[in-house]
Amino acid sequence: MPKDDCNTSGDRLYQMLATLKSHDFRITPQRLAVLKILAASEDHPSVEQIYEKVRVEFPTTSLATIYKIVALLKELNELLELGFPDESNRYDGKKPFPHPHVICTKCKKIMDPELTSFDELKEEIARKTGFRIIHHRLDFFGLCRECQKVE
Amino acid sequence: MPKDDCNTSGDRLYQMLATLKSHDFRITPQRLAVLKILAASEDHPSVEQIYEKVRVEFPTTSLATIYKIVALLKELNELLELGFPDESNRYDGKKPFPHPHVICTKCKKIMDPELTSFDELKEEIARKTGFRIIHHRLDFFGLCRECQKVE
DNA sequence: TCTTAAAGGAGAATGGTTCTCTATAAAGAA
DNA sequence: TTCTTTATAGAGAACCATTCTCCTTTAAGA
Ligand SMILES: [Mn+2]
Ligand SMILES: [Mn+2]
Ligand SMILES: [Zn+2]
Ligand SMILES: [Zn+2]
């Protein structure tokens, strides 16, 4: 199975928990809540959005705690961060490795497109620049189907 | 001539001046200095770097002025902005349209690679997602040749 | 020159993120 | 189950690249 196939959210939750445990990090209610949200999110939520969802179950949770958990998961390579200079960062807990994104500039939706012709591009880059490529970032900005309808 | 061929810095300076004039923006010494720097820059300078260069000739220049000029050129599509969430934005005045970049994570050098297999990728995206793609951002992060040598 | 609105200079404000410090509680030991 | 240790949570201050505000200066046409 290719690694970018959509796993069930249960698989991802289990994987993230296993990684935390194997590094002797404690499983706190706040961490578990964030993990569940990330493992189940079809969109690419922001820290603020994760925060609001966690507060439904744990109203006293601090925003700093969410930031800390997100930083930890990022460090453990269990979370992909999409940083944006003008707005909040967005996170992908289902596919924690670099992959292309399609971003609607109007409704801010972020999707994972299926692409076949990307691998040869990566090879061409390494060959022509002499760089040792560590990771990449590929974003297409535009209007999603829904936002094209509204004038 | 394809639009991404490297023009001389004189061509770019003339083009940027023409755009400013055609929109009735005034040609001030500060604007001219920034334009010259952008038209001549082989790297992708930050606002701070542009600021330092301008201050050699005009020591009283304000940082806010550089930000304003950069914003204006961006608005006129004469400057490409590469925003980064953790560090300063970088600018390309020679190729003011979206194009791939190769970024050294150690020395922060940013280069323009030559790529042939990128056009089919763009077509595949539009076809498969239904998005109307307006622009894109493609960055490869890694170590440049020089930074690979140092351990 | 003269006029006037655009542009520059200086510093405050912004806001997402990070840091700091104290209180709390997870997890292993007894 | 209770105890102990120390990682983690909570709260708010600090950070800092960028933007904004307000006043002064000046480019450019008359
Ligand atoms: Mn994704
Ligand atoms: Mn470039
Ligand atoms: Zn949309
Ligand atoms: Zn380098």
Side-chain angles (χ1 to χ4, degrees):
Chain A
M1 183 166 74
K3 69 169 178 177
D4 60 339
D5 261 24
C6 218
N7 300 317
T8 70
S9 60
D11 285 349
R12 279 300 299 148
L13 179 58
Y14 185 84
Q15 170 61 42
M16 290 194 270
L17 278 171
T19 301
L20 283 182
K21 283 174 183 164
S22 74
H23 288 79
D24 290 326
F25 289 110
R26 296 179 183 171
I27 309 301
T28 65
Q30 295 87 343
R31 283 180 175 168
L32 190 57
V34 170
L35 259 53
K36 282 180 180 170
I37 289 164
L38 289 174
S41 288
E42 287 301 327
D43 52 353
H44 297 72
S46 64
V47 162
E48 196 71 35
Q49 289 169 331
I50 299 169
Y51 177 58
E52 293 304 331
K53 284 191 178 179
V54 171
R55 282 181 74 104
V56 172
E57 199 180 351
F58 303 99
T60 63
T61 305
S62 166
L63 184 57
T65 297
I66 311 295
Y67 272 105
K68 286 175 191 164
I69 297 174
V70 159
L72 175 61
L73 292 171
K74 202 172 43 166
E75 183 64 28
L76 295 171
N77 290 310
E78 290 293 341
L79 186 62
L80 178 72
E81 180 179 65
L82 298 176
F84 298 95
D86 342 5
E87 44 204 306
S88 300
N89 292 353
R90 304 279 290 268
Y91 296 88
D92 191 335
K94 302 196 101 120
K95 297 165 68 174
F97 44 86
H99 58 276
H101 286 94
V102 183
I103 301 165
C104 180
T105 52
K106 187 169 183 186
C107 70
K108 310 300 179 190
K109 175 166 43 187
I110 300 183
M111 292 167 48
D112 292 344
E114 308 290 327
L115 281 181
T116 57
S117 55
F118 186 57
D119 289 339
E120 58 180 302
L121 192 67
K122 281 195 280 188
E123 289 167 22
E124 190 182 351
I125 283 283
R127 181 162 27 90
K128 289 190 174 172
T129 65
F131 266 60
R132 177 146 51 87
I133 303 295
I134 311 294
H135 61 108
H136 67 266
R137 173 84 182 266
L138 173 52
D139 295 336
F140 290 92
F141 299 87
L143 293 172
C144 69
R145 268 191 246 270
E146 290 70 39
C147 289
Q148 286 179 55
K149 291 173 190 162
V150 195
E151 71 279 1
Chain B
M1 183 165 78
K3 69 170 179 176
D4 61 339
D5 260 25
C6 219
N7 300 315
T8 70
S9 60
D11 284 351
R12 280 299 300 147
L13 178 59
Y14 184 84
Q15 170 61 43
M16 290 194 270
L17 278 171
T19 300
L20 282 182
K21 283 176 182 163
S22 74
H23 288 80
D24 290 327
F25 289 109
R26 295 179 183 172
I27 310 301
T28 64
Q30 294 89 342
R31 283 181 175 167
L32 190 57
V34 170
L35 258 53
K36 282 180 180 170
I37 289 164
L38 289 174
S41 287
E42 286 302 325
D43 52 352
H44 297 73
S46 65
V47 162
E48 197 71 35
Q49 289 168 331
I50 299 169
Y51 177 58
E52 293 305 331
K53 285 191 178 180
V54 171
R55 282 181 74 105
V56 173
E57 198 179 352
F58 303 98
T60 63
T61 306
S62 167
L63 185 57
T65 298
I66 311 295
Y67 273 105
K68 286 173 189 166
I69 297 174
V70 159
L72 174 62
L73 292 172
K74 201 172 43 165
E75 183 64 30
L76 294 170
N77 290 309
E78 290 293 342
L79 187 63
L80 179 71
E81 180 179 65
L82 298 176
F84 297 94
D86 339 4
E87 44 204 308
S88 301
N89 292 353
R90 305 279 289 269
Y91 296 88
D92 190 336
K94 302 196 102 121
K95 297 166 68 175
F97 45 87
H99 58 277
H101 286 95
V102 183
I103 301 166
C104 180
T105 53
K106 187 169 183 187
C107 69
K108 309 300 179 190
K109 175 166 45 187
I110 300 183
M111 293 167 48
D112 293 344
E114 308 290 327
L115 282 181
T116 57
S117 56
F118 185 58
D119 289 340
E120 58 180 301
L121 191 69
K122 282 195 281 187
E123 289 167 21
E124 190 183 351
I125 282 283
R127 182 162 27 88
K128 289 189 173 171
T129 65
F131 267 60
R132 176 145 52 87
I133 303 295
I134 310 295
H135 60 110
H136 67 266
R137 174 83 182 266
L138 173 53
D139 295 336
F140 291 92
F141 299 87
L143 292 173
C144 68
R145 266 191 247 269
E146 289 71 40
C147 289
Q148 286 179 55
K149 290 172 191 164
V150 195
E151 71 279 3

